[in-house]
Amino acid sequence: MKYVGQPVKRLYDDKFVSGKSTYVDDIQISALYAGFVRSPYSHARIKRIDVTDALKLPGIVGVYTYKDLEPLIKDGIGIWNVYEDPRMWKFVPRKPLADSKVRFAGEPVAIVIGVNKYVVRDAIDKVNVDYEKLPPVVKMEEALEDKVIIHEELKTNVAFDQTFTGGNVDEAFKQADKIIPVEITNNRLIPSPMEPRGIVSRYEGGTLTIWYSTQVPHLAKSEFARIFGIPASKVRVIMPDVGGAFGSKVNFLPEEISVIASSIKLGKAVRWTATRSEEMLASEARHNTFKGEVAVKNDGTVLGIRGDLLVDLGAYLTLTAPLQPAIIPLMVPGPYKIKGVSIRSRAVYTTTPPITMYRGASRPEATFIIERIMSIVADELKLDDVTIREKNLIRANEMPYTNPFGLKYDSGDYLSLLKDGLQKLQYYELKKWAEEERKKGRKVGVGMAYYLEISGFGPWEFGEIRVDENGDVLVISGGTPHGQGTETAIAQVVADTLQIDINRIKVIWGDTETVAASMGTYGSRTAAAAASAAMVASKEVLEKMKRIAARLLNADVEEIEYENGEFYNKKDKSKKVSWDDVARNGYYGKELGISAQIILPGDVTFPYGVHVAVVEVNDYGIPKVLTYKAYDDIGNVINPALAEGQIHGGATQAVGQALYEEAIINEDGQLTVTYADYFIPTAVEAPKFESYFAEKPHTSAWPTGAKGVGEAALIVGPAAIIRALEDATGKRFTKTPVKPEEIL
Amino acid sequence: MLVRPGEKVKIRVKVNGIWYERDIEPRMLLVHFLRDELGLTGTKIGCDTSTCGACTVLMNGKSVKSCTILAVQADGAEITTIEGLSSDGKLHPIQEAFKDNFALQCGYCTPGMIMQSYYLLKENPSPTEEEIRDGLHGNICRCTGYQNIIKAVQDAARRMRA
C-alpha cells in the first residue's frame, strides 16, 4: 500500500490555479445566448404574452413561449425514479416554460435568444406579459388548508402523505415518566455553489451535443432523450469542469429544457449561464418543521418519538425533492436505541421557488431533529449532553443493528467513538474554559452533537480500466467529482491495486460517449462506490495480464504472481516479465488489448461521528463560530487531506445554515436573490478547524471500505453550533438560522 | 465624449503584457471584455453584486473586481489576470502554495482568490492570519472553509520572502 491512506496531492490542480479550467460558461463555441422573462408574481394566470417589441431589437433571433416549444416536447421533467417512488407522489411533470399559470415569482415564462448577452438582456425587458394575479400561498401551514390550490389538476397542495411507524410507539409512551413536546425547524436556504449553472446545446443532423454543469450527465442523457423523443444514442452530454454543486446540480431546470428545445427549433447552438440571481432561484433547500413529542424515562432513556413532519416543496416537484420527506423519518432514530417511532410525513406545494436536495439531503434535517431532541431531553431531565447520549446509543455488541424502520446499520462502535472523540476534541476542557470565560463576561459556549448518517448509495457504480500498449493506465469512472478531488482518491486506489506509479494513471469521467455508464457523485458515494468499481476493474485487468504473462513465460496462469511491476513464476522466480512487456504483448497478434469494465452493485453504509463547536456572541447579538472540531468514523480513509477538506467545507456551510443563511420569502416573492442579501460565510466568519478520523475505523461493505465523508459536517454541524449558542446565551433555540435579534 | 445608442467606443487595454485594441459598447463590463472579447476565461463570474470576488484581476497594480469596472474605464490601463501570473510556463509561488496546501476544491473561486492573495502579499509581505482573513474578506469560497487558503497564503508569503 503506497498511496491509499496518504495525503496525495490532487492530480489536476494545475488548470485550476492557472485559469485554464473550463466551466460551462468558459466553453468557446459559436452559440446564441439565451435569457429568460420571469414572472414578477408568486401566483398568477398568464393572460397574454406579447413578444413583438422584443423581436424588433437587432440581434434578437427568437422569443419563445410554451406554445412555441410544446411541439418539441414529448414528456415533462419527472422525478428520480431510482430512489423515489412516483406512486407515492402527486405531481405534474414540469413543462419547459409556464403554460397558463405562474406559480412562483421568478418562474420562467419566455425564452429570449440573441447574438450576445447584452441584447438578450435588453429584449427581456421588452417582452410584455399580462398577468391576472392570484392569491399567493407562501407558508406551508397555509398550503395544507387547500384554500388556494396551486396545481388545479391535483385538487390538493399535499403531494405526499405517508406515516412511518416503527416499533411500538404506544407502548413507549405508556411507559414514559415524562412526555416532552418539541417543535424543530430548518428554514429554507440556498446551496449556492460558486459556479452558477449553465448549459450549451447544439443540435445537428438529429443528434444533440450538450455541455452541462451537472452532477449526473448519464441521467441527463436519458432524461433529455425521453423528453425530446430522440434516441439516447444520439444524445451526448458532456460534463465540463463544474464549480461546485452540493446536490443542487442533480436537477433538470425548465430553463435548460427550453434551451435544448430552442437549439432544436433553430438548428443552432444555444447557450445559457444563470446569473447569480437565477442560480439562487434555481435550487433551494431544507425548509421543514417537525412537531411532536418525546417519551422519556427519568434516567434519560428515550423510549419513543411521535409527531408530524411538514416539508415545503416550493411550486413544483423537482428531481430530488422527494428524497427528503421519505428519508428524514427513517433517520430520525439515528444511532440511538429508541423502541418506538411514528412520524407522519407530509410535503406541500407553496407558491415559492422549488426545493431540491442540498448536501446531506434529508440527513441534516433528521440529525437536527434527533440531536435537538437529545439536548432538549437532557436539559429537561437535568442531565448533560454526554450522559443522555451514553444512555441511548446503540452498543457495539448489538451491531449490525436494525433500526425501527428496517434500516440495517452495518458496522460501528458508537459509544467508543463518543468517548474517544470527546477526549480527542478536548470537549470537557473546552466546556470548562467556556464556563470560566462566561464568568468574565464573555458570551461564549461549547456544544456537541453526534450523528449517524446513511451514505454510499447504490444500486451500482461503473468502473473501467484500460492499460494501453505502453503500460499506462486510463481510468474511466462512473463517479462525477466536481471539486471533492475524489478523482485523485480513485487514482490512488488503482495505483495501489496495480502497484504502479500513480503518474502513469489518468482518470476521466463525465462524457456520456466515453463513459459507458454512470450514476454519479452525490450522497457521499464516490470513495465508496466509484473508487470500488475502479478497484474491482483493476483486479480484473491484473488477472488478464497474468494470463498474458503466463503465455509469455510458458507457465500455467495459477503459477503466476505479480508484485510491483513484475509478473513472475512463483515456482521459479527467475522466470519473470515486466509490466511494460506484458502490456505491449497485450496488443500483439491475436491479443485483444487489456481492459476491464464493471458495473459494481452495492448498498448504503453508515458513517458516524461527534462534532464540537465553540461559539461566541458579541454585544450586538451577532454570533461567530470560533472553532469547529470533528471526530469521524468514515471507514477506510483513502486520502486524509481530501477527507478533511470535506469537513472544512461542510462545517462552513453548517455555520451558514445555523447562523447566517436564510432564503427569505414573502408574498411578493423571494427577497434574497443576491449575495448582497444572502449571507454566505466569508473568511472572516469561517472558524478554525480541527479534524480527526477514528483510530479504529469500521469499514463499509464496498471493496474500498470507505463510508463517505462529503456531507458529514453539514449533517451534524448545525446541531453542534446551535447547542454551543445555547450554552453561550442560556437560551433555547430550535430552528435554523438563529438571528441576532433572537439572541439578544 | 458623446456616445449615441448603438455606437461603439474604441479602447486600448494591455492585458498580461499584450496590447489589445477593440471597439466595444460603453456598457460592457471589464469581466465580459476579458472573457468574451479576449477569450481569457480564467477570470470567473460568480455573482451580480460585486460581492463574491471571483472576477478579481489587477488593474494598474491594484486588485479590482472586474464585474464592477466598465471596459471603457480600463482604456489605457494594464491588467493582469490569472493567466498572466505564471511566467515561462512556471507556476507562481502562490499557485504552487495553493496546490500544495489543498487550498482549492471546485476551483471556481480560485483565480480571484489567487489574484487577491497576490495583491495582499504585495501590500503586506508578512500578514498575520487575521490580516489574511480580512484581506480575503471579499472573496467567497463555498467549498474549502478557507483554512487551507489561509495556510496557502502564509506558505506563499514564506516562499516569496525567501
Side-chain angles (χ1 to χ4, degrees), chain A residues 476-668:
Chain A
I476 304 171
S477 179
T480 54
H482 42 278
Q484 298 87 342
T486 26
E487 65 275 9
T488 302
I490 290 171
Q492 289 172 252
V493 166
V494 171
D496 275 3
T497 307
L498 299 178
Q499 297 173 57
I500 58 169
D501 184 341
I502 199 173
N503 291 306
R504 302 190 76 172
I505 297 172
K506 181 177 176 184
V507 184
I508 65 173
W509 66 96
D511 182 340
T512 61
E513 258 173 26
T514 320
V515 184
S518 148
M519 294 213 69
T521 289
Y522 50 82
S524 304
R525 67 190 298 273
T526 310
S532 293
M535 179 191 240
V536 174
S538 300
K539 290 187 174 157
E540 275 188 32
V541 147
L542 218 44
E543 291 308 303
K544 291 191 181 180
M545 292 179 83
K546 280 187 185 162
R547 284 198 286 279
I548 297 169
R551 193 177 48 75
L552 293 173
L553 295 174
N554 255 324
D556 287 328
V557 69
E558 295 84 50
E559 296 171 317
I560 301 296
E561 300 232 318
Y562 170 76
E563 202 180 309
N564 285 328
E566 267 179 3
F567 295 84
Y568 59 90
N569 188 324
K570 63 183 175 196
K571 294 206 183 112
D572 177 1
K573 293 194 183 168
S574 69
K575 292 200 167 64
K576 57 188 175 165
V577 64
S578 75
W579 170 277
D580 285 355
D581 282 338
V582 172
R584 194 179 48 251
N585 279 279
Y587 289 82
Y588 189 79
K590 294 213 200 91
E591 289 291 349
L592 297 168
I594 305 170
S595 70
Q597 271 188 345
I598 185 160
I599 289 204
L600 182 70
D603 202 359
V604 294
T605 178
F606 295 84
Y608 57 101
V610 64
H611 289 203
V612 170
V614 180
V615 171
E616 179 160 22
V617 179
N618 72 9
D619 291 335
Y620 301 97
I622 297 176
K624 187 167 186 295
V625 182
L626 303 177
T627 311
Y628 189 96
K629 303 193 191 194
Y631 190 89
D632 300 280
D633 185 341
I634 58 170
N636 279 347
V637 183
I638 301 175
N639 185 321
L642 295 182
E644 183 168 344
Q646 293 303 299
I647 297 290
H648 291 191
T652 306
Q653 288 180 314
V655 170
Q657 177 161 329
L659 304 176
Y660 305 128
E661 295 180 42
E662 185 180 355
I664 301 173
I665 293 180
N666 72 10
E667 292 179 347
D668 296 323

Side-chain angles (χ1 to χ4, degrees), chain A residues 91 151 199 230 242 294 325:
Chain A
F91 69 100
H151 293 272
I199 188 167
I230 297 174
V242 173
V294 187

Side-chain angles (χ1 to χ4, degrees), chain A residues 14 26 117-118 122 689, chain B residues 27 32 36 44 99 106 147:
Chain A
D14 274 8
D26 302 331
K117 50 173 78 97
Y118 284 78
D122 291 338
F689 300 105
Chain B
R27 61 177 173 167
H32 288 143
D36 302 333
K44 310 297 179 192
K99 281 174 63 179
C106 83
Q147 183 159 292

